[in-house]
């Protein structure tokens, strides 16, 4: 940690640490009657208020202390978006322990690796994951006890899990005579592992200070723009980079919260959006695919939903157009990563954009957006020299800020910073107005004859074809150019398009030498645990693919 010099004249403001517990304490006191509504694993709808949530979080914090959990200890969760998970966000971090959210979609071996690497003490889980825990428990060396997130009546009668506790019993046996402890705001609050598409997953260890600052900044109008007038449904899971900070920024704003539980299909989401009057949501493009298709196929409309944040991978322009033009939902394209808590940029228009023709405004909105205060960014060439912000020069994207990692948990990966900047692994342009556009991940860039071809642009063009549901572009070996683009496409149900028609679709939309050399059609693309296409798997599958040589 850097030690900064102190001035002979220090400010005279209260020295109050920025602690995660202060967020829920604030919501309970100032927006105490506002609701948190959850679709439970059991299928029913549960509703209570911020006041209830804070009290139960304190009771759980007290229970954790009773179990011997100490400051800095890791407490893991394997759970969907729901009120009990939210309570743990505050109970664990608020007590000074570290909340370690685990992505249940990871391979069981990776989950066991992560739990052991983090040296978790307790593991809380939704009943959906009981079989997974039973299969895994003997590999989890440090876990002292498992807590089923349910009532006594739903506890399994027989199980191989050693030391199985009941969540509601822990709450019921705690009095709530517990005050949130105060401590150094730089203490660790939560831990998220990157999905580790290559190599073992690495842990990003957030502090209380970074979490609270990120929550403040992400709620601002240039970013997620959350207020007490909103009803927010985070589709992005609480096990994926803390649901982009929404479990903190929503209570901090006093907005009503709606949790979808495990039901993330288009129909269930739509019903919840309508019944609870959801105004704002957030998720990766693949979930919107399901919801938007459900709405269009059934000729439905949203009655309250007005704005959504889409990020995690590039939002296809065709999806943005449908949401805005057909469904009346404003789209905020955002970019970030696990190592950035995750928000780095969000795309909203500046005042002077408002007089631009609609098509030019849309072109701005398609970018990944403008840095939010707290994040600085730059693009550099292979030698580390900074490149111009002209919207066309692309380079390696580096970031810094109080919610960007300074290294990985337990020193994994060594010293990762370059002159104090974190290398994101993304390739991007930045325009004169400061808007970022991601061209690609550096490992996905297609290197054709020494020049780079950005796969995101090609995928966006393919997905603007009415017969294309999903598209991914990868580089495959080419005898002359070293690599050339291959387009892998999933067609919309009932729609048809040929290879030749699709290649012709690219004419005049991208430079001629960018046009893919070939197209293959497939039933489904390999998806990772966070809803992103696994390009490394695609590259393995099409490793031997012979491109036409003509
Ligand atoms: P992982 O997928 O490794 O778990 P993250 O979920 O943190 O990691 O994903 C971060 C990466 O996702 C970014 O570095 C970037 O490549 C990609 N990404 C995130 N948002 C966007 C976006 N809006 N457009 C394009 N790529 C994005």
């Amino acid at each position: 940690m850097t030690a900064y010099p102190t001035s002979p004249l220090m400010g005279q403001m209260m020295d109050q640490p920025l602690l995660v517990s202060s967020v829920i304490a604030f919501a309970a006191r100032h927006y105490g009657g506002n609701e948190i509504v959850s679709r439970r694993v059991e299928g029913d709808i549960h509703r209570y208020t911020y006041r209830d949530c804070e009290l139960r979080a304190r009771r759980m914090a007290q229970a954790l202390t009773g179990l011997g959990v100490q400051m800095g200890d890791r407490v893991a969760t394997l759970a969907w978006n729901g009120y009990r998970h939210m309570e743990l966000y505050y109970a664990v971090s608020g007590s000074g322990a570290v909340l370690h959210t685990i992505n249940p979609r990871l391979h069981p071996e990776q989950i066991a690796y992560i739990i052991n690497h983090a040296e978790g003490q307790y593991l809380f889980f939704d009943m959906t994951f009981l079989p997974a825990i039973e299969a895994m428990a003997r590999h989890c060396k440090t876990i002292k006890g498992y807590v089923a997130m349910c009532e006594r009546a739903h506890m399994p009668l027989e199980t191989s899990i050693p030391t199985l506790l009941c969540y509601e019993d822990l709450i019921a046996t705690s009095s709530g005579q517990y005050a949130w402890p105060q401590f150094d705001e730089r203490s660790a609050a939560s831990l998220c592992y990157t999905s580790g598409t290559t190599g073992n997953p690495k842990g990003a260890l957030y502090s209380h200070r970074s979490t609270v600052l990120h929550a403040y900044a992400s709620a601002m109008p240039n970013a997620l723009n959350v207020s007490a007038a909103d009803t927010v449904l985070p589709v992005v899971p609480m096990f994926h980079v803390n649901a982009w900070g929404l479990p903190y920024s929503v209570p901090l704003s006093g907005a009503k919260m709606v949790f979808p539980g495990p039901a993330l299909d288009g129909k269930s989401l739509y019903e919840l959006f309508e019944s609870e009057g959801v105004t704002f949501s957030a998720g990766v493009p693949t979930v919107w695919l399901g919801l938007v298709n459900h709405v269009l196929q059934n000729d439905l409309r949203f009655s309250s939903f007005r704005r959504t944040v889409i990020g995690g991978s590039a939002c296809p322009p065709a999806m943005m157009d449908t949401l805005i033009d057909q469904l009346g939902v404003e789209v905020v394209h955002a970019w970030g990563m696990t190592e950035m808590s995750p928000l780095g940029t969000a795309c909203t228009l500046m005042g002077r954009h408002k007089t631009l023709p609609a098509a030019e405004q849309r072109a701005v909105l398609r970018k990944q957006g403008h840095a939010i205060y707290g994040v600085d960014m730059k693009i550099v060439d292979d030698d580390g020299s900074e490149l111009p912000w002209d919207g066309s020069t692309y380079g390696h994207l580096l970031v810094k800020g109080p919610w960007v990692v300074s290294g990985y948990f337990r020193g994994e990966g060594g010293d990762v910073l370059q002159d104090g900047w974190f290398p994101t692994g993304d390739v991007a342009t930045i325009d004169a107005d400061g808007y970022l556009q991601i061209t690609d991940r550096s490992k996905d860039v297609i290197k054709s004859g020494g020049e780079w071809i950005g796969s995101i642009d090609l995928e966006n063009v393919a997905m603007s074809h009415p017969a294309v549901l999903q598209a991914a572009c990868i580089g495959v070996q080419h005898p002359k150019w070293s690599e050339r683009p291959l387009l892998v496409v999933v067609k919309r149900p009932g729609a048809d398009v040929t290879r030749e028609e699709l290649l012709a679709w690219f004419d005049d939309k991208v430079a001629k030498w960018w046009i893919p050399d070939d197209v293959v059609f497939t039933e489904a693309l390999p998806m990772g645990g966070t809803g992103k296409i696994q390009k490394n798997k695609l590259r393995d599958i099409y490793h031997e693919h012979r491109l036409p040589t003509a």
Side-chain angles (χ1 to χ4, degrees):
M1 227 160 263
T2 323
Y4 293 101
T6 43
S7 160
L9 187 61
M10 299 299 279
Q12 291 183 324
M13 294 294 117
M14 290 187 190
D15 193 10
Q16 208 172 293
L18 299 174
L19 298 180
V20 160
S21 57
S22 69
V23 174
I24 198 68
F26 173 82
R29 189 165 163 83
H30 298 278
Y31 296 108
N34 289 2
E35 275 186 311
I36 299 176
V37 180
S38 312
R39 192 195 292 278
R40 301 206 294 180
V41 174
E42 296 88 325
D44 60 343
I45 299 288
H46 172 275
R47 51 181 77 236
Y48 71 173
T49 63
Y50 280 119
R51 207 175 289 121
D52 302 322
C53 176
E54 196 262 352
L55 175 59
R56 279 170 53 93
R58 265 189 296 121
R59 291 172 114 177
M60 183 49 80
Q62 190 179 9
L64 288 170
T65 310
L67 289 171
V69 174
Q70 300 192 352
M71 273 191 86
D73 283 351
R74 271 76 69 200
V75 174
T77 61
L78 208 56
W80 301 108
N81 291 7
Y83 66 104
R84 291 189 181 113
H85 206 176
M86 173 94 158
E87 288 161 10
L88 289 170
Y89 262 59
Y90 290 99
V92 175
S93 306
S95 73
V98 179
L99 178 83
H100 172 202
T101 52
I102 300 172
N103 184 344
R105 298 191 186 117
L106 295 180
H107 195 275
E109 269 173 29
Q110 268 191 332
I111 297 183
Y113 169 86
I114 288 175
I115 292 173
N116 288 326
H117 188 268
E119 298 177 334
Q121 304 278 301
Y122 283 88
L123 197 160
F124 286 70
F125 66 93
D126 269 335
M127 290 307 274
T128 326
F129 306 115
L130 179 68
I133 303 274
E134 285 173 335
M136 223 163 49
R138 63 196 172 84
H139 301 295
C140 301
K141 312 256 185 290
T142 56
I143 301 285
K144 292 184 194 150
Y146 295 82
V147 185
M149 292 164 68
C150 65
E151 285 137 22
R152 169 91 358 224
H154 290 106
M155 289 293 282
L157 297 176
E158 269 184 40
T159 175
S160 60
I161 299 176
T163 330
L164 182 63
L165 306 170
C166 168
Y167 188 96
E168 290 300 331
D169 284 358
L170 288 176
I171 297 255
T173 51
S174 302
S175 66
Q177 295 300 314
Y178 177 93
W180 294 116
Q182 301 295 296
F183 44 82
D184 191 325
E185 65 184 18
R186 290 166 304 173
S187 310
S190 65
L191 176 64
C192 282
Y193 280 73
T194 60
S195 45
T197 15
T198 49
N200 275 327
K202 296 194 281 293
L205 185 62
Y206 311 122
S207 67
H208 283 260
R209 174 185 153 81
S210 72
T211 307
V212 173
L213 289 176
H214 176 266
Y216 263 123
S218 61
M220 288 203 309
N222 285 341
L224 309 190
N225 192 7
V226 194
S227 82
D230 278 309
T231 296
V232 184
L233 187 151
V235 183
V236 52
M238 291 165 84
F239 54 73
H240 186 207
V241 213
N242 294 339
W244 300 350
L246 289 165
Y248 310 108
S249 55
V250 172
L252 171 147
S253 312
K256 172 179 165 182
M257 179 77 108
V258 182
F259 287 125
L264 299 175
D265 60 285
K267 181 169 183 291
S268 310
L269 282 177
Y270 178 76
E271 283 168 7
L272 205 53
F273 271 64
E274 289 301 300
S275 61
E276 295 303 326
V278 170
T279 59
F280 171 62
S281 187
V284 296
T286 36
V287 288
W288 298 117
L289 213 58
L291 181 59
V292 167
N293 281 348
H294 173 77
V295 169
L296 293 181
Q297 277 161 14
N298 295 286
D299 205 15
L300 303 166
R301 286 299 172 265
F302 292 111
S303 51
S304 55
F305 185 30
R306 292 289 167 263
R307 197 172 75 261
T308 187
V309 173
I310 301 187
S313 51
C315 174
M319 174 180 288
M320 183 179 279
D321 293 347
T322 306
L323 278 163
I324 300 176
D325 302 328
Q326 279 182 265
L327 301 175
V329 178
E330 189 188 319
V331 174
V332 180
H333 195 190
W335 167 86
M337 58 197 313
T338 306
E339 290 88 338
M340 301 179 70
S341 308
L343 203 58
T345 64
C347 202
T348 55
L349 298 179
M350 296 188 195
R352 62 191 155 84
H353 288 134
K354 302 276 161 102
T355 53
L356 291 177
E360 287 176 42
Q361 288 190 16
R362 191 64 54 86
V364 176
L365 289 174
R366 287 188 177 149
K367 299 195 172 196
Q368 276 75 4
H370 203 276
I372 52 174
Y373 169 74
V375 172
D376 195 5
M377 59 188 187
K378 65 175 179 180
I379 44 173
V380 300
D381 63 16
D382 286 341
D383 302 325
S385 305
E386 187 161 0
L387 294 167
W389 291 18
D390 58 13
S392 60
T393 308
Y394 51 83
H396 306 286
L397 177 63
L398 272 58
V399 292
K400 69 194 309 191
W403 55 83
V404 178
V405 291
S406 58
Y408 290 102
F409 185 45
R410 297 181 55 192
E412 213 65 38
D415 188 6
V416 289
L417 300 190
Q418 294 176 7
D419 289 333
W421 292 77
F422 176 79
T424 62
D426 285 334
V427 176
T429 62
I430 304 176
D431 68 21
D433 290 327
Y435 285 75
L436 172 83
Q437 183 157 24
I438 303 285
T439 317
D440 229 324
R441 283 191 159 192
S442 54
K443 55 182 184 282
D444 294 335
V445 160
I446 301 160
K447 298 185 183 85
S448 171
E451 297 283 346
W452 287 6
I453 299 179
S455 61
I456 295 178
D457 266 346
L458 298 178
E459 289 155 5
N460 284 343
V461 171
M463 278 188 282
S464 68
H465 190 284
V468 175
L469 182 65
Q470 272 184 303
C473 209
I474 51 167
V476 293
Q477 280 180 10
H478 188 281
K480 181 166 175 201
W481 301 108
S482 123
E483 265 183 11
R484 288 292 302 160
L486 168 70
L487 188 66
V488 187
V489 166
V490 180
K491 289 185 219 170
R492 281 188 186 281
D496 210 6
V497 61
T498 63
R499 169 187 180 277
E500 287 67 30
E501 284 163 352
L502 207 48
L503 290 178
W505 184 253
F506 282 84
D507 285 343
D508 302 328
K509 295 194 176 84
V510 294
K512 229 179 171 45
W513 64 276
W514 277 46
I515 298 180
D517 280 27
D518 206 359
V519 181
V520 288
F521 295 99
T522 178
E523 291 301 310
L525 296 172
M527 302 301 282
T530 53
K532 302 185 198 193
I533 298 166
Q534 291 176 307
K535 291 216 176 156
N536 54 334
K537 289 226 168 113
L538 274 183
R539 279 190 289 265
D540 288 346
I541 297 170
Y542 296 104
H543 179 65
E544 303 284 331
H545 185 85
R546 291 274 160 109
L547 293 170
T549 44

